[in-house]
Amino acid sequence: MTTYTSLPNLITLARLCLVPIVIAMISAGRWTEACLIFIAAGISDAIDGWLAKTFNLQTELGAYLDPLADKALLISIYVALAVFGAVPSWLTILVVARDVMIIGAFMISWLMNKPVAIHPLWISKANTTAQIGFAAAVLGAKAFQFTLGPLFLVCTLAVAALTLASLAAYLAGWARHMSL
């Protein structure tokens, strides 16, 4: 991988810049705008990944920047949705705690001079997809004034289960790497 800036990295940076805008829209009760911006950010994530892989535009910077943009967007969205009572607080705590624990484990490895290579796991991709999909559904329900009904509970539990499974997979790999 090279370290130069590429189109996928610029798209990722744009997604990162959308984070405060979507949170400002939620804070102002402008649910339609928040929903549309969030969906655009989610689509940009798929586009930058596709471009990077299809045209061999993967960079070292992108390997760090893309997950940072994903985490900034998802953590911010879940915190904002919990503050406004749109998702359960316990789910937001779980989503945030997962990321904090994973980042903490990687930092400990780095500090101990045993850095772990960052490779997204399939369960993590499924988790991110579920988190984005659920947040988009909640924003859509708020924006277009419909109820998710029983689907809300099903999605809440699915996101929780995938978040826990992803955390367990990362921590198990980290524990093996650290020879625990």
Side-chain angles (χ1 to χ4, degrees):
M1 280 194 289
T2 60
T3 57
Y4 64 88
T5 301
S6 65
L7 179 59
N9 290 348
L10 294 174
I11 293 169
T12 301
L13 282 172
R15 183 167 71 254
L16 198 55
C17 292
L18 290 176
V19 172
I21 297 168
V22 72
I23 300 309
M25 295 297 108
I26 291 172
S27 297
R30 296 175 63 180
W31 295 101
T32 303
E33 293 90 339
C35 181
L36 295 174
I37 293 167
F38 182 76
I39 290 170
I43 291 169
S44 78
D45 188 26
I47 291 171
D48 67 32
W50 179 80
L51 286 171
K53 289 180 185 123
T54 302
F55 297 103
N56 197 26
L57 297 172
Q58 296 162 315
T59 66
E60 184 176 0
L61 175 61
Y64 293 102
L65 200 56
D66 187 66
L68 173 67
D70 290 345
K71 297 309 154 213
L73 181 64
L74 285 171
I75 287 172
S76 297
I77 285 293
Y78 274 83
V79 169
L81 291 174
V83 166
F84 288 94
V87 299
S89 295
W90 65 264
L91 182 63
T92 295
I93 292 166
L94 185 60
V95 167
V96 172
R98 172 205 173 264
D99 288 338
V100 168
M101 285 189 251
I102 291 171
I103 291 167
F106 283 109
M107 288 177 66
I108 289 169
S109 300
W110 181 74
L111 289 170
M112 293 180 67
N113 206 25
K114 289 182 80 171
V116 178
I118 299 172
H119 300 289
L121 305 174
W122 72 266
I123 189 70
S124 179
K125 290 181 180 195
N127 178 52
T128 299
T129 301
Q131 287 179 356
I132 289 171
F134 182 52
V138 170
L139 285 168
K142 288 286 210 184
F144 303 107
Q145 301 171 356
F146 63 88
T147 180
L148 294 173
L151 186 60
F152 182 84
L153 178 60
V154 170
C155 290
T156 298
L157 296 176
V159 167
L162 285 168
T163 300
L164 288 171
S166 174
L167 174 62
Y170 273 116
L171 290 183
W174 178 78
R176 280 191 302 278
H177 177 79
M178 297 301 288
S179 303
L180 293 179

